Amino acid sequence: MVDLATRIGAITLANPVMPASGTFGPELAQVFDLDALGALVTKSVTPEPRAGNPLPRLCETEAGILNSIGIPGKGLDHFIAHAIPEWRRFRPPLIVSLSAGTNAAFAEAAARLAETPGIAAIEANISCPNLEEDGRAFAMFPESAAAAIAAMRARCALPIWAKLSPNTGDIAAVARAVEEAGADAIVVANTILGLAIDIETARPRLGAGMGGFSGPAFKPIALRLTWQCAQAVRIPLIGVGGIATAEDAVEFMMAGATAVQIGTASFVSPTAMMQVIEGLRDFCTRRGFTRSADLTGLALPGRRLAAE
Amino acid sequence: MDLAPAAFPVAERNAVVIESAPVGRRYHRLRLDAPDLSALSRPGQFFHLLCRDGAGSGPYLRRPMSIWRCGADEPLGFLFHVKGRGTAALAALRAGDRLSVVGPLGQGFTLHPSWRRILILARGVGLATLAPLTEAAARMGIAVEAVLSARDPADLMAEEFAGHSGAHVFPVLDADGSSDPLAVEALLRARFEAARPDAVFTCGSNRLLLLLQRLSAEYAIPGQVALEQQMGCGLGMCFCCVRPIRAPDGGTVNLRVCAEGPVFDLQAALGW
């Protein structure tokens, strides 16, 4: 028997596998029992309704996708009234992804979510444009990332997971800044900005121009970011970026992640998360790990596998 | 491997190909051994197919493919135009190969038991999406008339469309000018006058959609249209496949072709 139980601060997950925000919805319950997941992570909710970006919103590359969906949604009021009750049909801890354009809007929305029953934690999507900084993402810089997290922390008693962006020059500095600002965990990382051009029309292939790149080709970059963050902070890390198999998940855990998120892989295989949970159990059994939590950080400098 | 027990309405499954054959010059058909999925499927629904050839080569994302043949006594079938990397990989599959399918997905066509007669208007491979409707209508005792538009007789695929349903096919062709919009309008008016259908159905052509919207509004005949769109997840999670659809209040709303569609009310659809 392998114990897959996973602790992220005060929250206990049945296993370390959860969806990545934006690639998941209650629709997946048509394919398997969502109660088998470690946690549920919603699409990002924004304070106000948003229409989303022009089409095409997604384009394919050799081993991944570019997306610029634009966070379409009906806004926070509708989310609290309608989406939260729908999510509460399921047992795993509910993580609400929150996006906003200013520190004050992040704080106000976090305060509203903190009053709403049934939410285990807020995932702060600080990879979105900061309207007070010429639209540069909050997570690009330690100062703006910390300011957004601190503003939420002051108004919200729920655990806050800061979702970092790979579009920064010094991920370790951003990770330290959000830890000091009061984040309870770090999700690393969001999509990396990319571009594809249709050479027949000489226009970007996405309606919005640039988009976020994700999928298997992004995995080495996300793994490196996880490894760098693991050496910079003490709070738990949730690794995300290109994970499609249990072997990928084990890599992220060995690089320092306590849990993992799976996104793009669910588009190719809707049962990918279930396959990763089963494969993780099989790996632990084969290598004699009684607790999957013991994988965390094994590949970090100074750590090594125990002698057999 | 099938991780989705029967309690779940959508399966992810490696199904064995039992037939893979070219149809005419540009089309191809596949039939799969998946009797339970075929029985579950409804006309107008689709599967999301992992388009990898026997060597595992093909595009990264799945491709949505409308159902051409389904039912309790019929292998699950797809009929498609071999056009890009995805459909080329599908056409390279051989009997005995495995194809990963996710489905059945989406909202299919609706047939009311009180209806006596329907009319189908299809262009090109759009007929594949409407073909299973002929069998379903036949089982309900609903007569089917179909206006099929194609380049020439080789592209018409009347047999692939009608199967054993007894649908009455009116071919119209580019080759002899009978598919010209004015000629098709005259033909539809003649059919509406001679044997007024209780509902009309279309797929595959913007021009024919707009024509059918106009005529069926004039004759006050309800209709349904199957729309296409590029998809990411196929399940309603990624919001990549939205299209503007007319709302009851007169405005438009972005709806997901994979989840709210692919079949929409004929008058609610917007041309493209």
Side-chain angles (χ1 to χ4, degrees):
Chain A
M1 261 323 268
V2 179
D3 180 8
L4 297 182
T6 301
R7 286 183 61 85
I8 312 270
I11 305 169
T12 300
L13 315 182
N15 63 69
V17 178
M18 66 183 90
S21 175
T23 64
F24 178 65
E27 296 84 0
L28 201 56
Q30 297 173 93
V31 187
F32 66 85
D33 181 3
L34 301 189
D35 285 344
L37 296 173
L40 309 173
V41 185
T42 70
K43 298 173 81 67
S44 285
V45 60
T46 55
E48 304 299 329
R50 288 170 56 93
N53 283 339
L55 273 61
R57 292 174 168 183
L58 188 149
C59 80
E60 190 175 42
T61 69
E62 277 308 305
I65 58 173
L66 284 161
N67 88 80
S68 185
I69 308 288
I71 319 185
K74 295 175 178 171
L76 187 60
D77 290 339
H78 187 275
F79 183 85
I80 288 172
H82 299 283
I84 296 277
E86 187 175 4
W87 283 117
R88 291 185 69 184
R89 294 190 286 131
F90 303 104
R91 270 202 306 271
L94 178 64
I95 316 301
V96 173
S97 172
L98 172 63
S99 179
T102 65
N103 293 336
F106 261 120
E108 183 62 34
R112 293 276 312 282
L113 290 171
E115 295 165 357
T116 306
I119 302 173
I122 293 174
E123 181 178 282
N125 178 6
I126 54 174
S127 309
C128 51
N130 181 348
L131 302 180
E132 293 167 326
E133 294 282 350
D134 290 331
R136 286 172 293 189
F138 293 88
M140 279 179 72
F141 309 105
E143 301 76 19
S144 50
I149 298 301
M152 298 172 70
R153 179 80 292 157
R155 299 281 304 279
C156 170
L158 284 174
I160 297 171
W161 299 0
K163 186 166 181 179
L164 302 193
S165 169
N167 305 309
T168 178
D170 190 350
I171 193 84
V174 178
R176 277 190 297 268
V178 299
E179 180 181 44
E180 283 164 22
D184 297 282
I186 290 174
V187 183
V188 56
N190 212 314
T191 54
I192 190 162
L193 274 176
L195 179 69
I197 289 173
D198 180 340
I199 61 170
E200 300 302 323
T201 62
R203 303 306 311 154
R205 284 172 60 192
L206 290 176
M210 296 187 296
F213 182 63
S214 62
F218 178 53
K219 196 191 82 174
I221 297 167
L223 189 63
R224 179 268 296 178
L225 294 165
T226 302
W227 157 279
Q228 288 179 304
C229 288
Q231 295 170 74
V233 300
R234 302 175 65 93
I235 53 178
L237 302 179
I238 296 120
V240 52
I243 299 173
T245 66
E247 289 74 19
D248 296 336
V250 170
E251 277 193 83
F252 275 80
M253 293 179 76
M254 288 181 168
T258 296
V260 294
Q261 295 184 344
I262 292 167
T264 307
S266 293
F267 292 2
V268 179
S269 175
T271 59
M273 288 187 281
M274 298 306 297
Q275 296 174 46
V276 169
I277 293 169
E278 289 185 16
L280 184 59
R281 189 179 280 119
D282 291 346
F283 177 83
C284 289
T285 302
R286 178 168 69 77
R287 294 305 309 265
F289 290 95
T290 54
R291 304 176 341 128
S292 60
D294 293 339
L295 296 169
T296 296
L298 278 180
L300 290 169
R303 297 278 308 274
R304 54 190 304 165
L305 282 175
E308 304 212 356
Chain B
M1 175 193 56
D2 183 7
L3 291 167
F8 295 93
V10 176
E12 177 182 344
R13 160 102 49 98
N14 284 322
V16 174
V17 175
I18 51 181
E19 186 199 28
S20 173
V23 179
R25 290 165 307 205
R26 302 185 292 148
Y27 304 109
H28 196 92
R29 69 171 184 249
L30 286 178
R31 292 187 215 251
L32 307 180
D33 181 23
D36 54 333
L37 299 185
S38 192
L40 266 178
S41 298
R42 298 288 170 264
Q45 288 190 299
F46 69 97
F47 276 80
H48 219 194
L49 306 182
L50 194 62
C51 304
R52 308 281 163 85
D53 62 21
S57 171
Y60 176 65
L61 288 176
R62 288 175 184 266
R63 294 290 185 268
M65 183 69 71
S66 59
I67 295 163
W68 165 57
R69 288 281 186 266
C70 66
D73 43 16
E74 176 116 56
L76 184 62
F78 303 97
L79 174 67
F80 49 91
H81 183 187
V82 182
K83 200 162 52 176
R85 280 180 73 203
T87 46
L90 290 179
L93 290 170
R94 293 292 167 258
D97 287 344
R98 284 169 187 275
L99 171 63
S100 172
V101 305
V102 172
L105 294 164
Q107 312 300 321
F109 296 108
T110 305
L111 287 173
H112 285 287
S114 64
W115 289 347
R116 307 292 306 279
R117 177 181 294 110
I118 61 172
L119 183 141
I120 290 171
L121 175 62
R123 167 83 186 170
V125 79
L127 70 82
T129 306
L130 295 158
L133 200 51
T134 63
E135 304 278 358
R139 280 194 296 274
M140 294 170 69
I142 300 171
V144 177
E145 290 194 343
V147 176
L148 298 188
S149 171
R151 282 188 194 173
D152 53 36
D155 268 4
L156 190 70
M157 300 189 286
E159 201 173 304
E160 281 74 13
F161 173 75
H164 306 294
S165 69
H168 186 171
V169 172
F170 298 82
V172 297
L173 303 172
D174 301 353
D176 63 10
S178 57
S179 66
D180 177 81
L182 286 174
V184 174
E185 177 168 349
L187 173 58
L188 290 174
R189 284 184 184 279
R191 297 320 308 157
F192 286 6
E193 303 284 348
R196 186 181 189 280
D198 297 298
V200 294
F201 297 82
T202 190
C203 176
S205 159
N206 184 46
R207 211 170 62 179
L208 294 183
L209 166 66
L210 297 176
L211 171 62
L212 196 61
Q213 281 180 327
R214 181 162 56 79
L215 289 188
S216 64
E218 184 183 326
Y219 285 83
I221 298 170
Q224 295 163 40
V225 57
L227 297 178
E228 296 178 46
Q229 185 61 292
Q230 180 211 20
M231 290 184 188
C233 71
L235 283 157
M237 303 188 294
C238 74
F239 286 76
C240 133
C241 69
V242 297
R243 293 182 75 117
I245 301 292
R246 287 192 187 94
D249 68 4
T252 65
V253 57
N254 276 337
L255 295 182
R256 298 166 295 184
V257 171
C258 72
E260 282 88 28
V263 175
F264 292 93
D265 179 81
L266 180 69
Q267 300 297 345
L270 297 178
W272 58 91

